[in-house]
Amino acid sequence: MSASFPHGVDDPSPYPQARTVEDFTRNLASVRERIADASRRVGRDPAEVRLLPISKTVDEARIRLSVAAGCRELGENKVQEAYRKWEALSDLEGLRWSLVGHLQTNKAKLVARFASEFQALDSLRVAEALDRRLQALGRGLDVFVQVNTSGESSKYGLAPDAVEAFVRRLPAYSSLRVRGLMTLALLSSDQSRVRQCFVRLRELRDRIRQALPEGDRVAELSMGMSGDFETAIEEGATVVRVGQAIYGARRLPDSHFWPST
Ligand SMILES: *Cc1c(COP(=O)(O)O)cnc(C)c1O
């Protein structure tokens, strides 16, 4: 199992805890530099890649330090944790909250209140629940459709074959602004197998872009985390979701946040 959790509790972590604004400034600069290097390697403009800092499990005091160092967007995996932080940090202006984890329909109401983005859409029931709540509040939400590119039966996300039909249904939910596709690659130290997941998502995006009418197309690719964001950028990522390389290692293994095999 330990190979599945390269940065888990049992392994010495390559990600030291960031505890000061200077730590965050340094970590952000280093991640941005790696984004720029990876982009240039494949002839892409680094400005095409958006860095979404993932602050799950990080307490509010440290999130404040990261905001002082320049984080304006925050991604969270669990709705209640995100909502609690949104309330506690409401004195900070211009923060944008993104949910990147699985959502149950009974929590759609909470998401509609505070989130700017939801990256793990994989059911029409959730789309419908979100849309109803958003309409009532007069709000909109950017959404990404989560795709299971690793073939692990325990992972959330739609099977690649089901994505086009799913995306065709989404214009019915007018408060949802469909931005693109999101995936979690295999948690593996074998970079070639990780890369295959990213390639699969890009090819799927390209096929859907051709098949759908102009207004309904998906453009963005949210893929890559601390351990694999450079590979993801080489394969076309337009959003990378980076937690540990900015905030430091988490004590909880990744299996706490999404099902693993
Ligand atoms: C935690 C998380 C990330 C970030 O992972 P790190 O290893 O901290 O970079 C990215 N995406 C999702 C869906 C997550 O839950």
Side-chain angles (χ1 to χ4, degrees):
M1 272 321 271
S2 71
S4 308
F5 305 125
H7 314 308
V9 279
D10 296 333
D11 293 351
S13 173
Y15 306 122
Q17 291 299 296
R19 298 184 189 288
T20 63
V21 176
E22 292 69 39
D23 289 344
F24 282 109
T25 303
R26 183 173 6 91
N27 289 353
L28 284 166
S30 146
V31 169
R32 291 211 171 96
E33 198 175 300
R34 288 167 61 192
I35 289 173
D37 288 345
S39 303
R40 286 195 204 99
R41 275 202 292 283
V42 292
R44 298 184 60 199
D45 177 356
E48 288 170 18
V49 183
R50 174 183 146 215
L51 171 61
L52 174 59
I54 303 292
S55 53
K56 70 189 187 205
T57 78
V58 178
D59 63 35
E60 285 135 31
R62 289 208 303 130
I63 295 180
R64 282 180 189 276
L65 299 178
S66 73
V67 171
C71 293
R72 288 291 172 273
E73 296 190 79
L74 297 167
E76 290 279 340
N77 185 286
K78 294 184 189 289
V79 181
Q80 258 125 352
E81 178 181 347
Y83 186 74
R84 184 167 43 74
K85 290 174 179 176
W86 170 75
E87 279 191 311
L89 300 173
S90 59
D91 58 301
L92 299 175
E93 270 166 42
L95 283 187
R96 196 170 179 274
W97 293 85
S98 175
L99 271 162
V100 299
H102 183 72
L103 181 66
Q104 288 165 322
T105 48
N106 61 2
K107 305 224 176 93
K109 186 178 182 177
L110 215 49
V111 174
R113 282 171 70 175
F114 77 99
S116 298
E117 179 175 271
F118 174 52
Q119 291 209 356
L121 185 63
D122 65 358
S123 90
L124 290 175
R125 284 183 57 229
V126 169
E128 142 81 37
L130 282 170
D131 187 52
R132 190 155 33 88
R133 299 300 186 176
L134 288 159
Q135 300 275 3
L137 296 168
R139 293 192 77 224
L141 187 69
D142 292 339
V143 298
F144 287 66
V145 175
Q146 184 171 357
V147 184
N148 179 344
T149 53
S150 65
E152 294 166 291
S153 58
S154 56
K155 282 250 171 78
Y156 291 121
L158 294 169
D161 285 353
V163 176
E164 184 184 324
F166 182 82
V167 170
R168 284 182 187 278
R169 304 282 297 274
L170 294 179
Y173 309 105
S174 59
S175 59
L176 304 182
R177 297 179 293 255
V178 183
R179 299 300 191 202
L181 307 180
M182 177 274 222
T183 202
L184 284 163
L186 209 61
L187 286 175
S188 164
S189 51
D190 181 347
Q191 282 299 304
S192 72
R193 295 182 64 205
V194 170
R195 187 181 293 273
Q196 275 171 22
C197 296
F198 299 144
V199 169
R200 213 164 278 148
L201 196 71
R202 184 191 64 226
E203 291 178 349
L204 181 62
R205 189 266 324 259
D206 292 345
R207 274 203 303 282
I208 292 176
R209 246 204 313 214
Q210 292 205 323
L212 293 193
E214 193 88 48
D216 300 342
R217 290 178 187 169
V218 292
E220 306 266 335
L221 293 175
S222 174
M223 54 190 198
M225 328 193 304
S226 292
D228 55 21
F229 70 84
E230 287 146 306
T231 307
I233 289 168
E234 288 170 9
E235 297 303 338
T238 64
V239 182
V240 291
R241 309 178 307 268
V242 179
Q244 298 181 89
I246 296 171
Y247 289 95
R250 279 184 301 276
R251 294 185 53 80
L252 292 165
D254 288 335
S255 56
H256 180 74
F257 302 100
W258 59 80
S260 72
T261 44

